[in-house]
Amino acid sequence: MSQLSYAFKEAFNNLGRNALVVLGAILAVFISLTLTFGTVVFGEVVRVNTLQWAQDVRVIAFLQDDVTPETTAELQNEIATWPQVSDVFYVSKQEAYEEALVLLSNDEAMLRVLEESPDLLPASMRVQPVDPEDYDLIVTRLQSTPGIQRVESAGDAIDAMIALRDGLQIMFWLLAVALGVAAVALIANTIHMAIYARREEIEIMRLVGASNWFIRTPFLIEGALEGLIGGALAVTFIVVAQQLAVDRLADLPDWINLAIQNDFLLRQGALVLLFGVLAGLLGSSLSLAVHRTLRS
């Protein structure tokens, strides 16, 4: 029997021999990687929704009443060429009036004012930034552009949205790193217990001339298998939970989107599986390195 076949056989034997300990390690890895993968998926949901909300962020440039249609067209074309601008469209006085009737439908006093003076609202340019962070620069350029009366934007709301996006991203990655370290430590502890349970057998193997690598390899494979199984369970759980959330929470408001591209789930799921295997190998290596029975 080749050394590799022996290593895999011993690794599976170890899994069966220490079933309860191994089950505990797999469950621990499953919980850690579930939280890690769940954090990554939730971070993607936040990113997707942030981008969706950002599409609704617009800077409104109100035009002076004496601006001619030709000047308006030139102004719109000029703004569209700015590198910070994703989209710009013109809203006439009539369109602004119709929009206000909808927005102020519950305010009878304002509706009476609008009906008495339908030309009260000025025409405007609605400008969408490429990135929400660009809104301040766009506002500054618009304020110095001839033909524009005043500029309005939801500056505080945009700043809050950007801060929320950046803060959540940092929190997600810090949590993922912390949980990954916990998974490695749990696997290392499991392998340490397995080595301790077989310490007499290992001593006999060393006495008959077995090399350290011959003895260590089954434990490395065992750790990798524990990480792989725990990772596979974690990926399956999160993917199923995400799909159920999309199906069961279909009545959420349109501005909340729980759907994620399948490519993202497949790509990140594969990384979680790879991390599970690497965490198992790393945990096993750490345990083998510190265990006195297997020191060179």
Side-chain angles (χ1 to χ4, degrees):
M1 182 182 298
S2 66
Q3 291 188 4
L4 186 59
S5 299
Y6 166 80
F8 273 97
K9 180 181 178 181
E10 283 299 302
F12 282 107
N13 287 339
N14 289 343
L15 292 175
R17 186 183 296 117
N18 305 301
L20 290 178
V21 176
V22 169
L23 179 61
I26 291 176
L27 289 177
V29 174
F30 162 70
I31 293 172
S32 297
L33 294 186
T34 294
L35 293 174
T36 302
F37 190 38
T39 297
V40 173
V41 170
F42 183 64
E44 177 66 7
V45 171
V46 171
R47 188 190 71 83
V48 169
N49 281 275
T50 300
L51 291 176
Q52 182 174 320
W53 301 334
Q55 292 178 356
D56 296 328
V57 172
R58 296 188 185 273
V59 178
I60 303 177
F62 294 101
L63 304 180
Q64 297 174 356
D65 290 338
D66 57 355
V67 175
T68 64
E70 293 77 12
T71 303
T72 299
E74 293 175 0
L75 179 60
Q76 182 175 358
N77 292 333
E78 177 189 348
I79 295 174
T81 63
W82 295 354
Q84 301 84 12
V85 173
S86 172
D87 183 34
V88 56
F89 62 90
Y90 171 72
V91 177
S92 65
K93 283 178 169 287
Q94 179 62 31
E95 290 171 335
Y97 171 73
E98 294 174 356
E99 182 183 56
L101 290 179
V102 175
L103 295 176
L104 302 174
S105 58
N106 295 324
D107 192 332
E108 295 182 0
M110 286 300 300
L111 287 177
R112 284 196 298 269
V113 172
L114 288 175
E115 290 172 356
E116 293 173 358
S117 305
D119 292 335
L120 181 64
L121 297 176
S124 63
M125 293 288 183
R126 306 291 174 89
V127 183
Q128 179 182 338
V130 173
D131 189 300
E133 296 182 12
D134 295 333
Y135 84 92
D136 197 22
L137 180 58
I138 293 175
V139 169
T140 301
R141 294 191 66 175
L142 287 172
Q143 288 173 341
S144 61
T145 302
I148 292 180
Q149 182 179 3
R150 71 179 191 277
V151 181
E152 292 186 0
S153 68
D156 293 339
I158 296 173
D159 290 337
M161 182 182 67
I162 293 172
L164 175 64
R165 179 194 65 186
D166 295 342
L168 287 175
Q169 286 179 345
I170 294 173
M171 182 187 72
F172 292 150
W173 284 112
L174 289 176
L175 182 58
V177 170
L179 294 172
V181 172
V184 172
L186 290 167
I187 293 176
N189 183 64
T190 302
I191 299 301
H192 181 83
M193 294 175 64
I195 295 172
Y196 183 80
R198 297 183 59 198
R199 61 190 183 281
E200 295 181 357
E201 179 183 343
I202 292 173
E203 288 291 349
I204 294 174
M205 293 176 68
R206 297 195 66 175
L207 289 175
V208 297
S211 66
N212 269 347
W213 275 112
F214 184 80
I215 300 172
R216 292 180 180 190
T217 302
F219 293 109
L220 291 172
I221 295 176
E222 179 184 350
L225 288 174
E226 291 173 358
L228 178 62
I229 295 172
L233 292 174
V235 171
T236 302
F237 178 83
I238 292 297
V239 170
V240 172
Q242 190 268 337
Q243 294 298 326
L244 287 176
V246 172
D247 295 337
R248 300 292 178 85
L249 301 178
D251 295 332
L252 287 174
D254 294 337
W255 52 272
I256 299 179
N257 181 19
L258 299 179
I260 297 177
Q261 294 292 330
N262 290 331
D263 289 346
F264 175 85
L265 292 174
L266 290 174
R267 185 171 60 254
Q268 298 301 322
L271 290 177
V272 169
L273 291 178
L274 178 61
F275 178 81
V277 173
L278 293 177
L281 291 173
L282 180 59
S284 301
S285 299
L286 291 175
S287 182
L288 292 169
V290 301
H291 205 287
R292 65 181 183 84
T293 304
L294 293 176
R295 286 180 183 171
S296 302

